[in-house]
Amino acid sequence: MGIQDRDWYWKDREAKARAEREANTSPPSAATNNPAPETMLRRANATQPPKLWGSDWHWSIQLLVWLCIAVLLLLAWRLVR
């Protein structure tokens, strides 16, 4: 069971996202018709952070990938030495 399976993780994540959304909202002004690109990017990225490649894989697949990486590093070290 990962940390993402726990209820408190999702409640805490939602509370942080809600606080960040409230902090990012500002009173309407004349510039709302044409906001700055940084503001648009921040607003677009505030909802969902990008997932890392392989982060949603099962733990057994991740373990196999790490074992393959370790074997390849060991082989490279043996060849260089």
Side-chain angles (χ1 to χ4, degrees):
M1 179 184 279
I3 192 170
Q4 292 87 359
D5 296 330
R6 315 234 187 245
D7 291 334
W8 62 265
Y9 172 80
W10 293 107
K11 290 177 184 174
D12 187 47
R13 187 171 176 203
E14 279 299 317
K16 287 180 182 176
R18 191 178 318 113
E20 186 175 324
R21 278 194 305 267
E22 290 172 1
N24 286 341
T25 58
S26 61
S29 65
T32 55
N33 294 339
N34 193 8
E38 296 86 13
T39 308
M40 292 171 57
L41 283 174
R42 190 179 335 111
R43 190 180 312 146
N45 292 333
T47 56
Q48 282 291 343
K51 291 177 92 174
L52 294 175
W53 185 74
S55 64
D56 54 351
W57 293 353
H58 193 263
W59 66 269
S60 58
I61 302 292
Q62 290 181 2
L63 180 64
L64 287 173
V65 169
W66 281 110
L67 286 174
C68 289
I69 291 170
V71 167
L72 288 173
L73 287 173
L74 180 66
L75 285 173
W77 182 69
R78 288 279 189 139
L79 287 173
V80 170
R81 201 173 78 124

